Amino acid sequence: MKNKESYETVMTLFGPEKVETKRCNKCDEDLPYSCFSPSNGGNYTRAECKKCAKKLAKQIKEYKKIPIPEDYHCPICQKSEIECRGLGGKKVGTWCVDHDHTTEEFRGWLCHACNRTLGNFHDDIGKLQRAIQYLKGAYKVDVEYRNLYDEKNS
């Protein structure tokens, strides 16, 4: 539960506890909850403080001025603008500004689906490599275990 004043109530192993500060994932400072904005559509506050969010929004606004090449395709999924249109919702453009979350440097333009995918992996190359290995079948479930599971759930 969220209190818009100065604390957030979080569930712990010992029950609900009032937490008065939160660490910004950008500036790494412990700040009062009043320094964080609510997340879009979520019942929680954003990971970055208002000051860092404002700085990031300003950087992204500048990045959006970088022209997108004609006949551009997403470098990850290879889809065209027509194929990607609407993937991010009605209020946003076809392409997302992609940036390095550590250095804040512009990396390029991605479709919304690929940008969210990288975000869900937290730009972690090791996780992405393990995901590739998983898709290639390197982590197959043991056949004997699978048969036991199927028998129990039949």
Side-chain angles (χ1 to χ4, degrees):
M1 302 268 188
K2 184 171 50 175
N3 179 319
K4 294 181 182 176
E5 303 296 316
S6 61
Y7 65 88
E8 187 164 325
T9 303
V10 296
M11 287 304 295
T12 69
L13 291 173
F14 308 104
E17 288 186 24
K18 288 182 181 178
V19 180
E20 295 182 359
T21 63
K22 181 175 179 173
R23 184 174 295 270
C24 174
N25 73 344
K26 299 289 182 201
C27 65
D28 206 34
E29 289 185 45
D30 280 321
L31 299 165
Y33 264 92
S34 59
C35 293
F36 294 85
S37 298
S39 183
N40 296 341
N43 192 20
Y44 54 91
T45 54
R46 294 188 58 84
E48 70 279 348
C49 68
K50 290 176 185 177
K51 183 179 174 184
C52 290
K54 188 175 181 179
K55 181 181 170 189
L56 180 61
K58 187 176 178 181
Q59 286 176 316
I60 288 176
K61 188 176 181 180
E62 288 300 310
Y63 293 150
K64 285 184 176 183
K65 292 178 183 177
I66 298 170
I68 301 168
E70 204 171 310
D71 295 326
Y72 188 73
H73 287 70
C74 175
I76 296 176
C77 69
Q78 298 292 300
K79 289 182 180 177
S80 69
E81 180 175 0
I82 291 169
E83 294 170 302
C84 294
R85 196 171 289 144
L87 293 178
K90 295 178 183 177
K91 295 182 181 180
V92 295
T94 302
W95 305 114
C96 286
V97 168
D98 180 46
H99 65 286
D100 183 306
H101 290 261
T102 304
T103 66
E104 302 300 340
E105 287 184 43
F106 176 76
R107 287 193 288 219
W109 299 96
L110 296 176
C111 72
H112 287 272
C114 290
N115 190 54
R116 279 191 302 271
T117 299
L118 288 184
N120 286 334
F121 279 98
H122 304 285
D123 296 348
D124 185 317
I125 292 170
K127 287 180 184 177
L128 288 162
Q129 288 172 333
R130 287 187 296 280
I132 291 166
Q133 292 305 310
Y134 175 81
L135 290 173
K136 288 181 173 181
Y139 301 107
K140 291 197 186 264
V141 174
D142 182 280
V143 175
E144 189 174 317
Y145 172 79
R146 187 180 306 157
N147 289 339
L148 286 171
Y149 177 81
D150 290 342
E151 287 173 16
K152 284 183 176 180
N153 294 300
S154 296

